[in-house]
Amino acid sequence: MLVLGLQGSPRRKGNTAFLLDLFLEEARRLGARTAVISPAREAIAACKGCGACEKRGFCVSHDVMAQSIYPFLRQADVVVAASPVYFYGVTAQLKGLIDRCQTLWSRKYRLKLADPGAATRAGVMLAVGATHGGKLFDGLHLTVDYFFDAIAARNAGSLTYRGVEHAGDMARHPRVRAEAAALARQVCGPLAARRRIVFSDPGGAGAGMMAAAWMRYLAGDKWNVFVDAPAPSGQTAAMVERVMAARGIDLGYAGIQPLASENAPMDRVVAIGSAPVETAPVTDRWLLEEGRDPADADGFARLCDEMRQKVARGGDGLPPAA
Ligand SMILES: Cc1cc2nc3c(=O)[nH]c(=O)nc-3n(C[C@H](O)[C@H](O)[C@H](O)COP(=O)(O)O)c2cc1C
């Protein structure tokens, strides 16, 4: 399970970084894997407003957003947006990342595609500001609420602290440690308690990715889903994305955690095909017609529907997802 922190302050060891660390520390204690992206340290191009993503679902800027940040956002079960108040908004660096999520907004609202993690992803806002006004965090709440909607995250809560100005002020706050840990337990606890399942597909022909995406989409509240498969060829990957999109599911920017990212043992290992798999012990084996032609659209569509049915039906100890 991935908890992703977006550290919006340009200060490496400032108040925001301190607050975010408290949350992530507790998430790790619950068994989560955590990662932090600091937009101030990344070369993120500003959104050009060209509208290409609204038509094609992809951004024309091929930078770190496409290489790693969109995939991280897609894999994450919890996204923590953390920022100091800068002129009543989030920092420009974090806003730059948020604006580029217009691509994900477009995939959801223009292309009408559902992120497989949409049913389970939670969003949390953490913010600090120097002054004490009643409206100090209003701008941040508005921006972050709409950001969470674009990345398909349920707004799961926030912590905001006034009167926090100089580096070190946050660490002196009397309640921050208990409050950050409590929110982390509330948001991450139920997700960390899910059982773990991996779809192992040594052939790398797309079936594992499709099964994992269906599982996350249909039963992500009960299962923490992983995939163990070599990257499919460009043609196969495009076909897999196309057949899933035809059924309303978005596999753009992947979105399924690779098994290699997890240390904890799996509760179920579903081996797809007859090839031996390294992840032991195999609890389920799904035999399929082998040697799929990457150009055979009908064959991939049938495979996609078969994966959905198998996941939805469950059986052999695997509870039905739908
Ligand atoms: C450019 C800039 C703009 C700021 N604007 C505000 C503001 O509008 N309201 C406020 O209360 N604090 C404002 N602050 C203060 C920061 O929010 C505050 O110092 C915060 O603790 C910094 O967090 P950090 O250590 O994580 O960077 C501003 C600071 C900077 C550098």
Side-chain angles (χ1 to χ4, degrees), residues 4 17 25 29 31 44 109-110 121 127 131 144 166-167 174 191 200 206 213 234 252 272 277 280 297 309:
L4 176 65
E25 227 171 80
R29 211 166 288 140
I44 299 174
Y109 287 111
R110 291 279 189 258
R121 188 174 301 113
T131 55
V144 171
H166 305 291
L191 292 166
S200 191
I272 296 181
V277 301
Q309 276 165 16

Side-chain angles (χ1 to χ4, degrees), residues 25-140:
E25 227 171 80
E26 187 65 20
R28 280 192 294 274
R29 211 166 288 140
L30 293 163
R33 172 170 69 106
T34 62
V36 176
I37 294 170
S38 298
R41 315 266 169 266
E42 305 286 351
I44 299 174
C47 174
K48 300 177 204 293
C50 66
C53 65
E54 297 196 24
K55 296 190 193 83
R56 300 204 304 269
F58 289 99
C59 183
V60 295
S61 298
H62 301 288
D63 60 3
V64 65
M65 287 300 295
Q67 287 150 17
S68 63
I69 298 180
Y70 295 137
F72 255 133
L73 288 166
R74 286 267 150 131
Q75 282 180 27
D77 288 299
V78 180
V79 175
V80 187
S83 183
V85 178
Y86 271 20
F87 287 91
Y88 283 81
V90 298
T91 60
Q93 291 89 339
L94 179 57
K95 187 62 164 45
L97 181 155
I98 290 175
D99 287 352
R100 290 287 302 284
C101 290
Q102 180 71 357
T103 299
L104 302 181
W105 181 94
S106 296
R107 298 182 75 88
K108 180 177 176 183
Y109 287 111
R110 291 279 189 258
L111 307 187
K112 311 265 186 247
L113 295 174
D115 179 328
T120 36
R121 188 174 301 113
V124 169
M125 184 183 97
L126 305 176
V128 299
T131 55
H132 293 269
K135 295 184 177 173
L136 184 58
F137 298 106
D138 286 8
L140 286 83

